Structure formats: C-alpha cells, structure tokens
Amino acid sequence: MSKADADAVVGLAPEVRAQIPRLHELAPVVEDPVPATHKAVRFWEMLDELEQDAQLMREFALSRSPDGKIKLRVPPALRDAHRMRCDLIRLALAQAEVAWSAERAATFYQAIIDEIGAESPACQRRILDRLARVQGEAAARGF
C-alpha cells in the first residue's frame, strides 16, 4: 500500500468508526437470546480492543522530541499498526455491509408478508408460523 493510500485509510478511520454503534448503545441487545446477536456484540468488543492495540503500536513507533516534533522511532511498528488499522476498517465495512443487507432483506420480506396479509390473513398466518419454526430450528443449531 502506498503512503497516500495508508494516509487516506488512516484519515477515513474516524469517519468509519463514527458509524459503528458504541457498545453502551447495544447494551439492551445483550439480553437478546439469539446467539448471533451475542456474537455481533463480541465482534465489536474485539474490534475495539484491536483498534486500541493498533493505537498502542502506533504510539510506540513514534516519539515526540522536546521541541514538539514527532519522529519515527520504530518504522516496522508503525507499518504494522497501519496494516492492523486497514484490516480493522475492512472488517468494519464488511460487517456494516452485512447489517445493511440484512436490514434491506427484512424490509423486503416484511413488505411481502404485509401484502399477503392484505389478501389472505390465513395464508399470512401459515407463512409466519412456518418462518417461526424455521427460525426456531436455526436457533437450536446456534445460528
């Protein structure tokens, strides 16, 4: 990755992280019995820890002279910190894409269910019952 690319990614990191909900915002979700929800919360906790590790590596790699200038002390550590942050940004973007896709799918399916209900509430009830059974089977397998 070129220095310009790395600088762009580092500059983008705060904007990306600003879009990620903080753990305290997800706190009510922790009580949700769906295992996938717990895995998502743990993912963001782990991502936050990795970001802190990358920041520590960056701080280790740089030093501040008495005149206030920042100097590169350990180039490989700074390079590794940049790589870690780039990987974290990719992970965050991938997770955001999955969440966005899931939200779109839920909206799509809800529109279908609503229209079916407008035509035949009995058919809508059968479909919802079957979806609940499928969801129950998936939850029993840990999904």
Side-chain angles (χ1 to χ4, degrees):
M1 177 181 310
S2 72
K3 182 177 178 352
D5 289 341
D7 290 343
V9 169
V10 170
L12 178 64
E15 294 172 17
V16 171
R17 290 192 60 77
Q19 302 302 314
I20 300 171
R22 294 283 169 217
L23 291 176
H24 69 275
E25 295 170 346
L26 297 174
V29 174
V30 173
E31 298 175 10
D32 190 315
V34 179
T37 302
H38 296 296
K39 289 177 184 173
V41 171
R42 282 193 301 274
F43 171 83
W44 291 114
E45 288 172 346
M46 200 168 37
L47 192 70
D48 197 42
E49 289 173 6
L50 290 169
E51 170 64 23
Q52 291 170 15
D53 292 347
Q55 187 60 34
L56 284 173
M57 284 181 64
R58 185 177 191 284
E59 290 169 6
F60 173 76
L62 302 174
S63 66
R64 189 177 295 275
S65 64
D67 65 355
K69 279 186 139 179
I70 297 175
K71 296 183 179 182
L72 183 57
R73 185 172 61 141
V74 185
L78 184 62
R79 180 198 62 222
D80 291 346
H82 280 254
R83 285 181 180 162
M84 285 176 66
R85 293 180 83 193
C86 291
D87 290 343
L88 293 173
I89 289 169
R90 279 197 265 306
L91 283 171
L93 290 173
Q95 184 71 13
E97 182 180 351
V98 168
W100 181 77
S101 295
E103 182 180 337
R104 283 197 60 195
T107 302
F108 177 77
Y109 290 118
Q110 188 60 51
I112 291 170
I113 293 297
D114 291 345
E115 287 301 316
I116 291 170
E119 279 299 311
S120 172
C123 180
Q124 180 188 41
R125 175 57 33 214
R126 286 192 312 273
I127 291 170
L128 290 173
D129 288 345
R130 184 166 180 190
L131 289 174
R133 282 193 309 275
V134 169
Q135 179 67 25
E137 292 166 4
R141 290 190 304 261
F143 296 109

